[in-house]
Amino acid sequence: MEKLNSKTERIRCICDFLDRGGGTLTEMQNFVNQALEDKGFASIEVRSLRYSLKQLKDGDFEHSLSNLPEAERKNIFKWEYAGGIYRWAAKSLRPEFGDLEEEERSTLPFLMGILKRYETLPAVRRILGQLIEHYRLNEEDLEGASAVFHSAPTLHVQGHGKSSEKNVVELAIQLLGHIRREELIEFNYSSVAFIEADMTTLHCHTVMPLQIRLYDNLYYLSAVPHNEKHLLTFRLDQIHRLRVDIATDEKEQPIHFDRKKVEKAMGLRSHFKHVLGVWNHATEDQVYDIRVEFFEWAASYAKRLQFHPTQTLIHRNIKNNSLVFSFKLKLKPEAYPNQPAEERSPELSFFLGRFRRYARVLGFEAVRG
């Protein structure tokens, strides 16, 4: 811990001492060393204490005004020495070390509880450790974090057991690297239509990866097949053995693509604008204004959640104890006259299914223009 913010902690202790009215150099050293010891830092000699005093006056430490040029940082925080006593100068500012307000600090256990689900990832584990160090969280704070639970289904991938979610998230991170480096990738994939993956259900895909999406606790890759012009969505846990390789040319060199150019050609920015989840509707599929009525507990549930950016409350029916919401979503073309909206959108059907008889489509009409 000595290496982590030791300079800032020393100066913080000096400021605490000056805030209490100051005193002699010996009194300051005793105060600072006791405070450092309480925080798990090594004590310092007089020479180091004098140097820390100079750093305080030079503004040479982490504080809220650290972004100022060096010349402007100097003498913002002024202390004076008179009659053997160190104290704050009359017109000196006080450093702000970035500490959280009490209300903000109370959110840290909640944040840590949410992140704890992903603590097997090195970066998350490091962030959690830094939160404890930087904000000096105590046992009470940590107990608060243990009271927060992220309740959601957990992934299970054959052959990965309890590490399934960790390994899928690691694959998502790997894919983000390929996206950033604009590298074509290849992998074997089994369609979600099959409950078991074997050599008969696997297909090799070579794609230009564009985007990772998290929807309903599952991770998806949006990508364009090599030398094709349409967008596909792959569920990461369906990738065989969670293995993705870089596609190479005849000289075994990585094949690259122009990500911005492909994203523009696919209209990726607006592709999911009228999609409830991750379904890939054809460009020509029409947008419809779909009115859905929710009853009783489902109405109360829908009232508090925004399932889609286009969701709008358009009617309250006190007599029926129901709410009607409008959704502007794409639907596939009719397979037969007057085909229900939910049959023309698999994800709309899945969405309504969770509410059973407490949600229904009242009607829908094409959005013009």
Side-chain angles (χ1 to χ4, degrees), residues 6-25 27-36 39 44-57 61 77-80 86-88 94-95 97:
S6 58
K7 176 172 72 173
T8 301
E9 286 300 329
R10 291 172 184 176
I11 294 173
R12 187 196 298 266
C13 294
I14 291 173
C15 292
D16 288 344
F17 177 77
L18 297 176
D19 287 342
R20 288 168 167 77
T24 66
L25 189 63
E27 291 171 338
M28 183 188 299
Q29 184 184 15
N30 291 337
F31 178 91
V32 169
N33 281 338
Q34 183 61 58
L36 289 174
K39 298 173 183 179
I44 58 176
E45 301 296 331
V46 171
R47 181 178 177 181
S48 296
L49 181 61
R50 291 187 186 276
Y51 186 64
S52 294
L53 281 166
K54 179 180 182 302
Q55 290 175 317
L56 171 59
K57 185 168 286 189
F61 60 97
F77 313 117
K78 302 176 183 178
W79 51 263
E80 60 184 18
Y86 290 85
R87 59 172 60 88
W88 284 117
R94 304 293 197 271
F97 292 92

Side-chain angles (χ1 to χ4, degrees), residues 41-103:
F41 289 87
S43 59
I44 58 176
E45 301 296 331
V46 171
R47 181 178 177 181
S48 296
L49 181 61
R50 291 187 186 276
Y51 186 64
S52 294
L53 281 166
K54 179 180 182 302
Q55 290 175 317
L56 171 59
K57 185 168 286 189
D58 290 343
D60 181 21
F61 60 97
E62 295 180 15
H63 56 88
S64 60
L65 300 176
S66 296
N67 61 322
L68 292 176
E70 182 179 350
E72 295 182 30
R73 289 200 310 267
K74 288 189 174 182
N75 293 316
I76 292 179
F77 313 117
K78 302 176 183 178
W79 51 263
E80 60 184 18
Y81 176 71
I85 301 296
Y86 290 85
R87 59 172 60 88
W88 284 117
K91 296 183 179 180
S92 174
L93 295 179
R94 304 293 197 271
E96 293 182 11
F97 292 92
D99 288 340
L100 297 175
E101 298 292 336
E102 187 62 33
E103 183 177 346

Side-chain angles (χ1 to χ4, degrees), residues 100-117:
L100 297 175
E101 298 292 336
E102 187 62 33
E103 183 177 346
E104 295 172 321
R105 186 180 179 84
S106 66
T107 65
L108 283 176
F110 182 82
L111 173 61
M112 294 181 68
I114 296 298
L115 290 176
K116 192 171 179 63
R117 178 176 180 177

Side-chain angles (χ1 to χ4, degrees), residues 26 44 67 105 107 134 151 163 169 172 196 212 223-224 230 234 241 253 275 283 347 354 362 364:
T26 300
I44 58 176
N67 61 322
R105 186 180 179 84
T107 65
H134 184 76
S151 181
S163 298
V169 172
E196 290 289 342
I212 298 294
V224 175
H230 61 276
F234 302 92
R241 295 181 179 175
Q253 295 299 311
V275 176
T283 304
E347 288 187 325
R354 73 177 70 179
L362 288 181
F364 58 99

Side-chain angles (χ1 to χ4, degrees), residues 208-220:
M208 296 175 281
L210 299 178
Q211 191 178 76
I212 298 294
R213 301 181 73 85
L214 174 60
Y215 177 68
D216 209 17
N217 298 300
L218 292 171
Y219 296 84
Y220 297 85

